[in-house]
Amino acid sequence: TPTQRKSSGMAYDSDLDLFVVFGGIDGQQVLGDLYVGLPRFGRFYGEDGELDEEGNIGAEVDMRRFSTIFWTKRTPEPAPSPRWGHAMTYDQENKLVMVFGGFDANNEPMNDLWAYNVEEDFWVEVDAFVDSERPAPRGGAVMIFEGGPFYDRGTANYAFGARRRIALFGGTDGRQYFNDTWIYNYSVPLDTINTDVPRRWILADAGGEFSTGPSPRAFSTLVYGQNFAQFYMDTQPPTRAQPAGILFGGRTGTLPTSPDTDGDLIPDGVEHALGGPELGRDPRVSRITQPEAEDELLPFNFVPIGTYPGNLTQRFPERGLIADFEVLSYEERLPAWRWDLPYQGYPLESSWTDLNLVVGDETQFPIIEANTNRIVYNIGVASLIPDMTNLWYTRVRGREAGEVPNAWQLGRPDNLAIGPKGAPPYAYRGRWLYGTNLRGPYPNGEIMDLYSPIFDLEPITQDEIDGNFGESYYLIFHEWLDLADENDRVKVEVIRPSTGADVATRVSGTNRPPITILPERGYMDNTEGRWRRVVVPLDSVANESKLYLRFTLNSDASGNAGGWYIDKVAIVRAGRIEGVALDEFDNPVGPDVDVYLYGVNGDLLVGSTTTYGDGNFIFGLLPQGSYTWQVGMQEVDPDFFMTALGMNINAAVSWQAIVGRDYMIEYTENLLDTHQVWTEMGNSPVTATNSLMSIVDNDATDAIRFYRVWRLP
């Protein structure tokens, strides 16, 4: 019998009438054991009502009575690693139990796919795919097989066809919650578990800004309903019922390791500091991704930029507010949370090389599609020609389009060839990004440009500035940078066209040279195998219109590396607080003094800066909200925040200290109040004489006191 556990996976092999239970966690360890259960339903009764243990012929079966499951532990090798929070389902088409992802023994998310043949008792990892598209590693996702046993009710109106593939939704990687929907599809029908036959993962709904599917969540439940959709008898012929996946519940919220759970570019801590859900700052809900969330404040005033949600046969709707570069245009996209997605391109999801579309990693098609005359920019993000100003555009200076295939590319990165520091394994958020070469190093001796869609920066008038709270424009993007040497450089500029021809060719006009907003950087600025958030003030081009961003990598003739990867780009109009820091005598403190910014929600730190000149300071990139600032004190590490109970006793406050540094001790008697009043303790401040300090509060009263310790500058 399986031991007690939670977050295990379970599936039912309907062909063999067997339950399969795999993995889970029991509070002490992550499990990787496998059990198969044979169910026996009902109990047999004789004519006199007594239980017939032998189940004689003619005995009555009471299906309401307790049943028996005969468990068998199996140990096939190889097998998936121990895990919890994985997704499992039974694939009736190929008679296999499928296992996806979960968290490993170190609680790291995975995205591997395994198939278990119950009848022959062996595991095989499915790792032969048509292209590099994969769901990001996660646990808590839900998975169903779209197909299965059919009802037989004597009518042709019930659904009897099935797509016969696997659908995966949601989950979490410990940093964010997902609401993307994936389809695992076989490229050819299978009658064996031969993994040499290629498969593919297809994104049916990218989630994010334009999705009308379920909100991000993990550990929900998803079942397959063969005839869930309604059918109509009064049509000729009768309209057939349709199968559907039915989703219920799950968990969402903020994650302790997540800088931005809801993907709205506001860190979770800032949203809490600005009042949290009660004041419309809920890090579980983003108005960007959930327009129906009426109580969530718009994080910033975004300038429209990013993907183009539609194709050339439609009117031009508003562009995206955050460029996450997701594209959905596989022909197999039809299974989704709605029938059509307005930002899908047509007809194929692709990037381009030379004069061909590239579908997946290999298959190529001519740019001009036969019989339709549609070209590659219909995919909704990238254009081959610069005058499609609402799309992103790339070029290599001095070369014809397609002559250098490994310049900026749109798609999913693959770092197998370049290593874990050279390129990210996945986009910063979502699935696609722009990179200087998605599957290898950038080329030598080239100047490679990536241009944003066109945008305007509307003037900010004086009457929009509230006291010290002004507004400025900022560029926010996320980068992964790996340059080979000091002669390879990257920079960000703003291109300022003058004429219509300048706009169409994305060049700066006469007497309007490009303005560098992020100066050249080299290999000393490499991100060393991680994503970095970059914030760039746009004051130098504020109040101008018809602008382009240009991201440039300039490589020398020798030596190359992973390159530059860009994701989650936005232009925002955000708050700015300016002030003068004063000392206790109301005099400016001078330069290089620490200033700390707090939100309305108690003493949660929003940011810090140092003064310049005569005590001047600036905080930028702020959502609208109520703030306070404090001069010359710094909250120390979390270990320095502690509690002591003072109940007519001499309560002691202890902390790890730096010998010779001064510390201030404060207390409050109402920690749960959102506007706590902190009072300095009578014998504070003190100078640390030991690495472990302990101070007795001689004034402790009957009330419970909570203490905090500050390290003074």
Side-chain angles (χ1 to χ4, degrees):
T1 302
T3 57
Q4 294 181 347
R5 65 192 65 201
K6 72 166 190 172
S7 301
S8 57
M10 183 173 180
Y12 176 61
D13 184 332
S14 56
D15 292 285
L16 299 178
D17 190 24
L18 293 172
F19 293 104
V20 180
V21 173
F22 171 69
I25 191 169
D26 64 4
Q28 295 182 337
Q29 60 182 331
V30 177
L31 306 171
D33 48 0
L34 173 69
Y35 289 85
V36 173
L38 174 65
R40 284 293 178 261
F41 298 99
R43 282 299 185 102
F44 293 91
Y45 285 78
E47 294 182 359
D48 59 356
E50 296 297 327
L51 178 63
D52 185 348
E53 294 289 353
E54 297 179 0
N56 295 324
I57 296 177
E60 180 182 358
V61 179
D62 185 353
M63 293 300 294
R64 297 170 297 178
R65 298 299 295 259
F66 180 78
S67 304
T68 299
I69 298 179
F70 298 95
W71 290 102
T72 301
K73 184 176 182 178
R74 294 185 176 181
T75 57
E77 293 290 344
S81 60
R83 64 191 63 205
W84 62 276
H86 46 287
M88 279 180 65
T89 191
Y90 178 60
D91 172 1
Q92 191 185 30
E93 179 75 6
N94 296 287
K95 305 187 186 314
L96 301 170
V97 171
M98 307 299 294
V99 176
F100 171 83
F103 295 99
D104 67 13
N106 296 315
N107 297 321
E108 293 294 328
M110 300 179 289
N111 69 338
D112 52 347
L113 182 67
W114 288 78
Y116 177 59
N117 187 310
V118 182
E119 184 172 18
E120 299 183 27
D121 187 27
F122 65 87
W123 287 101
V124 172
E125 183 175 4
V126 181
D127 55 7
F129 294 95
V130 171
D131 53 36
S132 61
E133 298 294 324
R134 306 281 191 283
R138 66 191 70 190
V142 285
M143 188 165 67
I144 57 171
F145 175 67
E146 293 187 281
F150 304 137
Y151 295 137
D152 183 7
R153 299 184 178 178
T155 174
N157 297 315
Y158 286 98
F160 62 86
R163 295 189 175 97
R164 296 194 177 280
R165 49 192 168 194
I166 290 170
L168 180 81
F169 172 80
T172 178
D173 62 1
R175 294 180 60 253
Q176 60 183 313
Y177 287 95
F178 298 103
N179 67 330
D180 49 352
T181 306
W182 292 80
I183 301 297
Y184 170 62
N185 200 32
Y186 316 112
S187 58
V188 296
L190 298 178
D191 54 7
T192 70
I193 198 173
N194 178 12
T195 55
D196 293 332
V197 180
R199 283 79 158 185
R200 67 196 301 206
W201 279 106
I202 299 166
L203 187 65
D205 188 312
E209 186 176 349
F210 295 103
S211 174
T212 59
S215 59
R217 66 190 70 195
F219 300 101
S220 55
T221 51
L222 180 66
V223 298
Y224 173 72
Q226 181 197 351
N227 294 309
F228 185 75
Q230 187 175 2
F231 69 89
Y232 301 93
M233 293 293 295
D234 55 356
T235 60
Q236 293 298 325
T239 302
R240 189 177 305 282
Q242 295 294 321
I246 303 104
L247 182 82
F248 178 79
R251 68 168 290 178
T252 186
T254 59
L255 294 163
T257 59
S258 175
D260 181 17
T261 301
D262 54 7
D264 62 359
L265 301 183
I266 304 293
D268 292 352
V270 173
E271 297 204 56
H272 280 299
L274 295 180
E278 292 185 0
L279 296 184
R281 297 294 185 190
D282 193 341
R284 300 166 300 178
V285 179
S286 172
R287 235 186 127 86
I288 299 297
T289 58
Q290 301 181 56
E292 73 279 6
E294 298 295 337
D295 295 331
E296 174 69 1
L297 298 178
L298 192 67
F300 292 118
N301 186 358
F302 287 87
V303 175
I305 192 176
T307 59
Y308 162 56
N311 58 53
L312 297 182
T313 63
Q314 300 173 331
R315 295 183 60 188
F316 287 80
E318 184 178 3
R319 292 197 303 271
L321 302 181
I322 300 176
D324 55 10
F325 304 120
E326 303 302 332
V327 180
L328 293 177
S329 49
Y330 278 130
E331 294 177 344
E332 299 94 335
R333 77 185 187 278
L334 290 178
W337 297 102
R338 54 178 172 174
W339 286 112
D340 193 19
L341 297 166
Y343 64 108
Q344 287 183 171
Y346 183 87
L348 294 170
E349 189 170 67
S350 57
S351 56
W352 65 278
T353 297
D354 298 326
L355 298 179
N356 294 302
L357 306 183
V358 180
V359 180
D361 292 342
E362 299 176 356
T363 309
Q364 297 195 10
F365 294 90
I367 287 178
I368 303 298
E369 184 191 4
N371 304 322
T372 65
N373 204 35
R374 294 187 176 95
I375 63 175
V376 67
Y377 52 68
N378 284 3
I379 66 173
V381 171
S383 171
L384 282 180
I385 50 179
D387 63 359
M388 290 297 297
T389 61
N390 62 306
L391 302 178
W392 291 75
Y393 173 68
T394 70
R395 63 181 160 206
V396 179
R397 296 189 206 176
R399 295 185 178 270
E400 298 295 328
E403 187 177 348
V404 178
N406 55 349
W408 287 99
Q409 294 178 342
L410 173 67
R412 178 193 178 278
D414 185 349
N415 65 3
L416 293 179
I418 202 66
K421 286 189 176 181
Y426 299 95
Y428 174 77
R429 193 177 184 108
R431 184 187 52 139
W432 277 19
L433 48 65
Y434 263 109
T436 47
N437 182 6
L438 296 180
R439 293 169 183 87
Y442 53 85
N444 289 322
E446 305 290 354
I447 302 177
M448 297 154 275
D449 295 328
L450 169 66
Y451 293 82
S452 75
I454 199 167
F455 63 93
D456 299 322
L457 298 182
E458 297 178 356
I460 299 174
T461 61
Q462 185 64 34
D463 59 7
E464 294 176 292
I465 299 176
D466 180 17
N468 293 94
F469 194 92
E471 283 196 322
S472 294
Y473 288 105
Y474 297 87
L475 165 68
I476 304 173
F477 67 96
H478 298 80
E479 69 174 2
W480 184 294
L481 183 63
D482 186 52
L483 300 177
D485 53 52
E486 61 183 5
N487 297 317
D488 295 339
R489 314 291 290 178
V490 297
K491 67 178 178 179
V492 183
E493 300 170 295
V494 171
I495 304 301
R496 304 183 297 157
S498 296
T499 66
D502 296 337
V503 170
T505 54
R506 307 199 191 205
V507 299
S508 278
T510 304
N511 299 322
R512 287 170 58 84
I515 293 181
T516 299
I517 58 173
L518 187 59
E520 283 193 343
R521 297 171 296 149
Y523 77 104
M524 295 296 292
D525 298 290
N526 286 350
T527 57
E528 299 299 328
R530 62 182 179 87
W531 281 99
R532 174 167 57 205
R533 175 186 175 106
V534 181
V535 177
V536 184
L538 296 177
D539 295 336
S540 57
V541 290
N543 305 332
E544 295 195 31
S545 60
K546 293 183 173 57
L547 305 173
Y548 295 105
L549 297 171
R550 182 167 70 187
F551 300 83
T552 300
L553 191 157
N554 189 344
S555 63
D556 66 356
S558 63
N560 54 17
W564 202 12
Y565 300 83
I566 304 294
D567 196 15
K568 205 75 173 173
V569 183
I571 298 174
V572 302
R573 180 172 156 184
R576 182 186 69 252
I577 290 179
E578 300 181 55
V580 177
L582 304 177
D583 61 18
E584 56 184 322
F585 304 106
D586 292 333
N587 296 317
V589 297
D592 301 323
V593 175
D594 292 332
V595 182
Y596 300 91
L597 188 68
Y598 299 89
V600 66
N601 209 6
D603 293 285
L604 292 174
L605 188 65
V606 173
S608 63
T609 188
T610 56
T611 59
Y612 63 95
D614 292 330
N616 302 90
F617 65 86
I618 295 178
F619 290 98
L621 193 67
L622 300 173
Q624 288 284 349
S626 298
Y627 297 87
T628 60
W629 63 81
Q630 197 162 17
V631 181
M633 291 192 301
Q634 178 180 359
E635 188 171 8
V636 297
D637 298 333
D639 289 342
F640 288 90
F641 182 83
M642 63 219 71
T643 65
L645 179 62
M647 298 289 289
N648 284 328
I649 61 173
N650 294 329
V653 184
S654 300
W655 72 96
Q656 295 289 331
I658 301 174
V659 176
R661 295 301 299 267
D662 295 331
Y663 294 87
M664 183 178 70
I665 304 97
E666 294 179 316
Y667 69 87
T668 181
E669 295 178 352
N670 190 1
L671 187 66
L672 299 181
D673 193 336
T674 57
H675 303 285
Q676 303 102 322
V677 176
W678 291 89
T679 304
E680 186 174 357
M681 211 166 73
N683 49 354
S684 171
V686 298
T687 301
T689 56
N690 297 288
S691 59
L692 178 62
M693 289 293 294
S694 182
I695 299 297
V696 175
D697 183 3
N698 296 317
D699 298 324
T701 64
D702 290 343
I704 297 176
R705 284 188 173 183
F706 298 89
Y707 299 86
R708 70 180 183 186
V709 180
W710 299 80
R711 185 175 64 220
L712 300 180

